[in-house]
Amino acid sequence: MFMTDLLYARAQMGLSLAFHIVFAAAGVALPVLMVLSDWKARRTGDSDYRKLSQKLAKGTAILFAVGAVSGTVLSFELGLLWPEFMGQYGEVIGLPFSLEGVAFFTEAIFLGIYLYGRERVSPGLHLFSGVMVAVSGAASAFFVTLVNVFMNDPSGFVATPHGPTDIEPLKAMFSPGWLTQTSHVLLSCYQASAFAMAGIHASVLLRHPGSAFHRKALSVALPLACVTALLQPVVGDLSAKHVAKAQPVKLAAMEGQFETERGAPLRLGGLPDVETGTVSHALDIPNGLSILAFGDPNAEVKGLNEFPRDTWPPVAKVHVAFQVMVGTGSAMALLALVTLAYRWRRKAWPSGRKMMWAWLVSGPLGLVALEAGWLVTEWGRQPWIVRGVMRTADAVTPVPHLAAPFWTFTVVYVFLGVVVVALLKRQVADTLPDREPKGPDVKGGEAHVH
């Protein structure tokens, strides 16, 4: 299929974001897991927790380095691929970009102290540096998300044919919906990373059920994974309620709602057809969308046909991505409930084969939900780069031949991805036992983590 320079620019930005978001999420969450392991090591004197904190610190450093590279590429791409957007709105939304830079350098400084100061600074200062890495990583993601919130729900300026005037940077920085959206993103970072970590250690425990190190590592990952999996649907619901009021065309695309109606059904699955205005193979829950969006079974939900056709996002893509996000999120929440029930009843984290298989299979779901959620946000905003104010087509660079940088960066990202996977595999391989230990708490392949 022939691609225009606009599509290549969008594809390159999408590829860069899809690649970077994995490392950004890890940069937010791994320091928290690292600090928890370090704190447990200091409290118990257990060498396994100390080893785990060291491994997590090395993993954080690897992912931080690659995230810094991909994040820098994204910064350049904003200016090079979308010069009209940055030229007109850089002044409006420049404050969170600047603060994100401060958070990034703060994270780098304290990560250096944590990595190389373990035996060189006091234990308190060393642990504090780890906490600051976690706080700075979260702050970095927070400020970047504020930019995205602005692009979806702009405020803090007056739009004119010649560009924005009467600029209020703080109002632009905290555009409507900032609290729920930033909370949703931060939770997704913690959830994706904790599920990935749990999946990795579950896979090792399936082969080595007596490994004390991996049982303890699982005991660090599972609480964060379970808590975030249960909080995320609540925050996601609040975020969706804001979208229903502020961005009704996006909600209509997410739900495949073509006609305006009261008592709108909630559609599970299905594939929208924009030509016929129908959603095939969907399971409809009567009044479900009206209840979830507005808390009223008879509330009116605006359909896509209420809006000009040239302002519709790609309906099928948005709907499918939204279904993937909700489906994976629901599966993780269900597993979290089962795991916490087991923990409450047995007073121990589960490590039996069935539960380990469940966590192994669920390990990638957090990242799948994270990527799908960002696709919903970005596709759902189209055809606008700043919703209702500037179209994506009007913001793109006039420089031709954008296929060349797209394919170049695709190769670079594939290479970086292979290198990162190899490095992380080595970190995990170093923790594998030479032989499966047998002890009193390993019975029939069932081990318990206290």
Side-chain angles (χ1 to χ4, degrees), residues 185-333:
V185 169
L186 286 172
L187 277 174
S188 68
C189 293
Y190 296 125
Q191 183 179 359
S193 300
F195 265 80
M197 178 176 168
I200 290 169
H201 293 291
S203 69
V204 176
L205 286 169
L206 283 168
R207 290 174 288 154
H208 306 280
S211 172
F213 172 84
H214 290 280
R215 293 203 309 274
K216 292 168 187 174
L218 196 65
S219 75
V220 172
L222 287 182
L224 185 61
C226 291
V227 170
T228 53
L230 295 178
L231 285 177
Q232 189 65 286
V234 177
V235 176
D237 178 65
L238 294 174
S239 183
K241 282 180 167 59
H242 173 75
V243 170
K245 295 176 182 177
Q247 304 171 61
V249 67
K250 180 187 284 190
L251 178 77
M254 288 161 55
E255 299 291 350
Q257 186 72 28
F258 288 93
E259 299 295 335
T260 298
E261 62 178 311
R262 294 186 176 277
L266 180 69
R267 293 179 178 86
L268 303 181
L271 187 64
D273 185 335
V274 296
E275 299 304 324
T276 62
T278 60
V279 181
S280 59
H281 310 297
L283 174 63
D284 289 0
I285 300 176
N287 305 104
L289 182 55
S290 292
I291 293 172
L292 287 178
F294 300 103
D296 179 357
N298 297 312
E300 180 181 271
V301 177
K302 288 186 177 180
L304 287 161
N305 292 329
E306 286 280 331
F307 307 92
R309 184 66 176 268
D310 66 350
T311 63
W312 288 16
V315 180
K317 291 180 180 178
V318 174
H319 178 75
V320 171
F322 181 68
Q323 294 293 311
V324 170
M325 181 187 70
V326 172
T328 52
S330 300
M332 288 185 286

Side-chain angles (χ1 to χ4, degrees), residues 308-382:
R309 184 66 176 268
D310 66 350
T311 63
W312 288 16
V315 180
K317 291 180 180 178
V318 174
H319 178 75
V320 171
F322 181 68
Q323 294 293 311
V324 170
M325 181 187 70
V326 172
T328 52
S330 300
M332 288 185 286
L334 178 61
L335 179 58
L337 279 174
V338 173
T339 300
L340 289 176
Y342 186 104
R343 177 72 175 85
W344 178 75
R345 188 172 66 252
R346 302 283 186 91
K347 309 302 180 185
W349 293 107
S351 292
R353 293 191 65 81
K354 288 183 179 179
M355 287 299 292
M356 289 303 94
W357 271 110
W359 278 99
L360 171 59
V361 171
S362 301
L365 293 187
L367 290 173
V368 172
L370 181 67
E371 296 282 7
W374 273 104
L375 288 175
V376 171
T377 300
E378 298 305 297
W379 280 338
R381 190 182 64 247
Q382 297 305 315

Side-chain angles (χ1 to χ4, degrees), residues 408-433:
T408 300
F409 278 104
T410 298
V411 172
V412 170
Y413 288 143
V414 169
F415 171 75
L416 285 175
V418 171
V419 171
V420 170
V421 170
L423 290 173
L424 294 180
K425 269 188 83 173
R426 176 183 288 186
Q427 292 297 312
V428 175
D430 289 344
T431 66
L432 295 178

